[in-house]
């Protein structure tokens, strides 16, 4: 891995069952959603429905663990859902999963199929190392509201991903900022897969391997490395 990622001791103490896997990919070819990326999303929705077998996403043990983790740092899990639960609910709704672009479709499909939060960052827009920390409360989070750029700040104690320029994702994996978001022009990207007990290490690695394979299929020739944050 060429990018340093660290998980703070405060986060590990608060949520001891947390594990992350990083997939770093270079030489990707992105673009608008197409038949191949849409097929990944359709298959993921089918697998999700089979896995849940009539249950709601919050009744899955892994999603229940994420809800407990959100509660632990002061978030309301029914108001600010972790990204895996939010996507799963969309997959089961009448409108189905959104089509964003080829790379985002690929990691959203893995998130839905495995019920695991997966995030994607444009490596060219990350400043320095990335860290998962409990916020002080004055860190800048640049977002867009009402069509205009605005700066928010996380709540003190909130778990956030950040780089040297500021917060890249609030409430762990709830809302990503636009600064590092993957778009149609992204060629180098970092994907983060995040799990909690009871998901096993083997299940996490299987999700990472599936994402790596999808990226190779969509972008033949891409250079992909898989590793663990420190």
């Amino acid at each position: 891995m060429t990018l340093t990622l660290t998980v703070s001791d405060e986060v590990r103490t608060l949520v001891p069952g947390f594990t992350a896997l990083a997939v770093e990919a270079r030489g990707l070819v992105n673009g608008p959603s197409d038949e191949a990326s849409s097929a990944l999303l359709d298959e993921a929705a089918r697998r999700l429905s089979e896995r849940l077998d009539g249950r709601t996403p919050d009744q899955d043990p892994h999603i229940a663990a994420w809800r407990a983790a959100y509660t632990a740092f002061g978030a309301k899990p029914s108001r600010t859902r972790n990204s895996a639960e939010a996507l799963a609910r969309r997959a089961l709704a009448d409108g189905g999963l959104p089509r964003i672009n080829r790379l985002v479709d690929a990691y959203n499909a893995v998130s839905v199929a495995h019920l695991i939060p997966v995030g994607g960052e444009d490596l060219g827009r990350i400043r320095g190392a990335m860290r998962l920390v409990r916020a002080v409360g004055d860190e800048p989070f640049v977002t867009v509201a009402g069509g205009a750029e605005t700066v928010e700040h996380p709540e003190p104690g909130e778990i956030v991903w950040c780089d040297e320029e500021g917060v890249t994702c609030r409430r762990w994996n709830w809302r990503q900022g636009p600064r590092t978001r993957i778009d149609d022009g992204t060629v180098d990207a970092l994907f983060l897969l995040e799990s909690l007990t009871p998901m096993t290490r083997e299940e996490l690695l299987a999700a990472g391997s599936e994402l790596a394979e999808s990226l190779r299929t969509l972008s033949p020739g891409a250079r992909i490395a898989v590793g663990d944050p420190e």
Side-chain angles (χ1 to χ4, degrees), residues 3-187:
L3 180 69
T4 300
L5 299 104
T6 59
V7 179
S8 74
D9 290 341
E10 282 188 313
V11 172
R12 293 195 183 279
T13 298
L14 186 70
V15 188
F18 173 65
T19 306
L21 188 70
V23 178
E24 187 176 289
R26 296 181 179 273
L28 296 165
V29 178
N30 201 13
S33 301
D34 59 13
E35 185 175 339
S37 68
S38 290
L40 292 174
L41 292 171
D42 289 340
E43 174 62 11
R46 185 198 66 76
R47 289 165 63 186
L48 172 69
S49 180
E50 184 177 272
R51 171 175 175 156
L52 292 177
D53 191 25
R55 296 176 300 156
T56 56
D58 58 288
Q59 293 174 306
D60 181 90
H62 194 225
I63 297 301
W66 275 105
R67 282 179 155 247
Y70 269 48
T71 300
F73 69 83
K76 297 183 184 299
S78 293
R79 182 180 300 173
T80 56
R81 294 187 175 96
N82 70 84
S83 64
E85 182 180 352
L87 270 178
R89 286 176 173 270
R90 294 194 69 172
L92 297 171
D94 290 340
L97 288 165
R99 272 56 174 166
I100 309 297
N101 58 52
R102 285 159 52 88
L103 296 180
V104 174
D105 291 352
Y107 78 74
N108 279 349
V110 169
S111 176
V112 168
H114 293 266
L115 271 183
I116 178 174
V118 183
E121 308 280 355
D122 188 309
L123 275 171
R125 297 172 186 158
I126 296 172
R127 300 293 174 255
M130 288 191 67
R131 297 168 292 123
L132 185 67
V133 301
R134 300 199 72 181
V136 175
D138 60 359
E139 299 90 342
F141 177 71
V142 179
T143 186
V144 176
E149 185 176 286
T150 184
V151 178
E152 298 177 355
H153 301 281
E155 298 291 330
E158 181 181 323
I159 294 180
V160 297
W161 278 104
C162 60
D163 64 5
E164 292 181 3
E165 195 166 308
V167 174
T168 58
C169 195
R170 284 198 60 188
R171 291 178 189 151
W172 210 323
N173 47 49
W174 167 64
R175 186 172 63 166
Q176 183 185 29
R179 173 170 61 87
T180 59
R181 187 178 296 160
I182 290 174
D183 60 23
D184 287 0
T186 296
V187 294

Side-chain angles (χ1 to χ4, degrees), residues 164-223:
E164 292 181 3
E165 195 166 308
V167 174
T168 58
C169 195
R170 284 198 60 188
R171 291 178 189 151
W172 210 323
N173 47 49
W174 167 64
R175 186 172 63 166
Q176 183 185 29
R179 173 170 61 87
T180 59
R181 187 178 296 160
I182 290 174
D183 60 23
D184 287 0
T186 296
V187 294
D188 300 326
L190 174 76
F191 304 90
L192 283 170
L193 294 80
E194 301 179 303
S195 71
L196 297 172
T197 305
M199 182 176 247
T200 66
R201 175 72 175 170
E202 290 72 22
E203 290 171 325
L204 176 62
L205 289 172
S209 295
E210 184 174 322
L211 176 57
E213 184 58 33
S214 293
L215 295 173
R216 291 188 183 99
T217 300
L218 294 172
S219 298
R223 304 179 303 282

